[in-house]
Amino acid sequence: LSLRRGIIEAQELASLKSDRQRYWCAVEISSMLQDEQSQRGSINSEDRRLLQELGRLRTKFPLTKIASVPPLKNSGDNLDLQVDVPFYTWQNRRGSSTRKLMQSSRFQTKKEPQLHYMVSEITRITRSHPDYLKRPLQILDIGGGKGHLANALASYLNSDEVFVSVVDIDENTIENGRRRSIASGLEVSYWIGDASTLNDVRNVDDVEDLSFKNADIVVALHACGVLTDVALGHATCMNASFVICPCCFCSYPYLFVSALKQNEKSDKSERMQAPEWLDIHSSDLNQLRKLCEIQGDRSLALEAIHSLCALRLNAVSKRHISSLSSTPLVNLNLSLKMFPEKFSSRNICMVGELSHARDPDPI
């Protein structure tokens, strides 16, 4: 690996004192090594068969590329995701000073645009929800203990629009997210516990309100492995909208998914492992996950990720409460959206939007 500015850049890296700076620089170098040095992945006839069979689902749930994001509340400009922007601005609902996020760290140039996209998409499905402004909608963030997404949502959506709760199993991560919320003067509820069951969760502030268990919107940014399926399963049972961006496709294979029985008009959920939830043989699922993680061949990895995300939306379509009703009062619109890869190679979001069902045409 050659550093772009040679010995000067090497000296700068060696002199970094901040743990955060060292971490993000290490991530950047790791990414460069992976792109340039990794062996190109190869596939066999079984891999080709699997991807070919899943082609019908990729057609059913095509990818929509997102090039720009509408401005958040009180923000002056769109965030154009097609070009390198020297900075972008957004302003919170209180109208306080605008933050200018300079291209000085990986967090600001990579993570912040992802948060901007997620907040924009979640805001859109919040304001199209059938119960919008009838009451504050409950947003449940699965595995978002650091609080980045939850705090952004609590900052840019009014308290009469939403209330945000976070469930994460890592106590230290939850505490860090809670501190960020307090420092920003935001009201976010943090819960420690197993997100796969939502049982025996404990609120860090000893709050006893469990209304998040009937969330209206389920969200997750880079939910690792089967945690993505866990979040989708909860959305089916709660009759919730969702915006979920998956990551680390081979992680947590032991987690169980709580979901409604497939194509059965029942409000009782059952716990199942991922192959049953996705209606795919376990060996095929394992192989598909490996293809999602293949290095050195982005087009192949993207085809596999698209296939897995489409498989997941297909499972939602068969188990979501709104889909099982014979006379649905709401419509569930499912889609796959992709923000630019320069912000993350894990850049596909699964979106489920609930909206009022149209009245049947008169006979």
Side-chain angles (χ1 to χ4, degrees):
L1 172 68
S2 298
L3 296 175
R4 287 184 291 266
R5 293 185 290 117
I7 188 63
I8 296 176
E9 187 170 353
Q11 291 172 338
E12 290 175 354
L13 292 171
S15 65
L16 291 176
K17 295 181 179 180
S18 165
D19 288 341
R20 174 171 289 186
Q21 286 179 317
R22 286 197 295 268
Y23 170 79
W24 285 113
C25 284
V27 170
E28 189 73 45
I29 291 173
S30 174
S31 176
M32 291 169 65
L33 283 169
Q34 191 176 85
D35 290 344
E36 297 180 9
Q37 303 283 338
S38 296
Q39 291 185 345
R40 179 171 294 275
S42 60
I43 62 173
N44 55 36
S45 58
E46 281 300 301
D47 297 330
R48 294 189 183 91
R49 174 198 61 80
L50 178 59
L51 291 175
Q52 185 174 6
E53 287 180 358
L54 294 172
R56 59 182 179 82
L57 292 182
R58 294 194 300 273
T59 301
K60 181 179 179 181
F61 300 106
L63 283 177
T64 300
K65 293 184 178 181
I66 304 300
S68 62
V69 174
L72 297 176
K73 177 180 286 191
N74 299 325
S75 176
D77 302 303
N78 286 15
L79 173 59
D80 187 348
L81 299 180
Q82 291 180 315
V83 298
D84 290 325
V85 185
F87 65 84
Y88 65 89
T89 61
W90 55 9
Q91 192 174 50
N92 67 26
R93 65 170 184 262
R94 299 178 183 84
S96 60
S97 59
T98 301
R99 299 171 62 197
K100 292 187 177 181
L101 306 174
M102 307 305 294
Q103 287 186 328
S104 58
S105 74
R106 183 180 176 88
F107 181 88
Q108 292 169 337
T109 59
K110 303 290 187 182
K111 192 72 172 182
E112 291 277 9
Q114 296 172 46
L115 290 171
H116 188 107
Y117 165 71
M118 289 290 288
V119 171
S120 176
E121 190 66 36
I122 295 166
T123 297
R124 186 184 65 80
I125 69 166
T126 295
R127 292 174 178 168
S128 66
H129 193 281
D131 289 339
Y132 177 62
L133 291 185
K134 295 179 182 179
R135 55 179 172 80
L137 298 178
Q138 294 284 335
I139 295 182
L140 175 60
D141 185 353
I142 297 290
K146 292 181 180 179
H148 296 308
L149 178 57
N151 290 342
L153 290 170
S155 176
Y156 298 112
L157 288 167
N158 293 318
S159 58
D160 60 346
E161 293 180 290
V162 301
F163 183 79
V164 184
S165 299
V166 180
V167 175
D168 198 300
I169 201 168
D170 190 292
E171 187 167 354
N172 291 331
T173 302
I174 281 284
E175 182 57 30
N176 288 336
R178 174 178 173 271
R179 289 175 180 174
R180 290 188 180 100
S181 296
I182 293 173
S184 301
L186 300 172
E187 187 177 359
V188 177
S189 184
Y190 285 89
W191 298 81
I192 302 168
D194 183 359
S196 68
T197 66
L198 297 182
N199 295 327
D200 301 321
V201 292
R202 175 174 61 85
N203 186 274
V204 293
D205 295 309
D206 297 323
V207 174
E208 296 182 359
D209 183 3
L210 296 175
S211 54
F212 72 87
K213 290 191 175 184
N214 293 305
D216 301 291
I217 302 168
V218 177
V219 302
L221 176 56
H222 291 158
C224 291
V226 180
L227 192 60
T228 288
D229 301 288
V230 166
L232 290 170
H234 288 317
T236 69
C237 297
M238 297 173 179
N239 198 25
S241 300
F242 58 85
V243 180
I244 297 170
C245 181
C247 185
C248 306
F249 300 96
C250 295
S251 299
Y252 307 129
Y254 54 83
L255 288 178
F256 280 79
V257 180
S258 295
L260 298 179
K261 292 184 178 181
Q262 185 171 317
N263 296 326
E264 291 189 18
K265 296 176 175 61
S266 170
D267 58 358
K268 293 184 178 180
S269 64
E270 57 182 0
R271 282 166 57 78
M272 64 195 77
Q273 290 190 307
E276 182 182 357
W277 149 253
L278 296 173
D279 194 19
I280 186 174
H281 194 277
S282 59
S283 61
D284 284 345
L285 179 57
N286 289 336
Q287 190 58 30
L288 182 59
R289 288 167 174 165
K290 292 177 182 177
L291 290 172
C292 291
E293 297 286 3
I294 206 163
Q295 303 298 330
D297 191 336
R298 176 57 181 168
S299 62
L300 173 59
L302 183 59
E303 183 179 3
I305 295 170
H306 184 184
S307 299
L308 180 54
C309 289
L311 192 64
R312 286 164 162 165
L313 286 191
N314 197 53
V316 171
S317 70
K318 296 177 180 179
R319 297 179 186 272
H320 199 280
I321 289 179
S322 65
S323 302
L324 300 178
S325 174
S326 57
T327 56
L329 300 177
V330 296
N331 287 327
L332 175 66
N333 301 307
L334 300 172
S335 61
L336 292 175
K337 299 189 177 182
M338 182 170 66
F339 57 81
E341 183 183 343
K342 68 180 181 179
F343 300 127
S344 173
S345 60
R346 308 305 193 235
N347 59 335
I348 296 179
C349 288
M350 293 168 287
V351 180
E353 179 183 3
L354 286 175
S355 59
H356 285 288
R358 292 179 58 187
D359 292 332
D361 295 330
I363 299 176

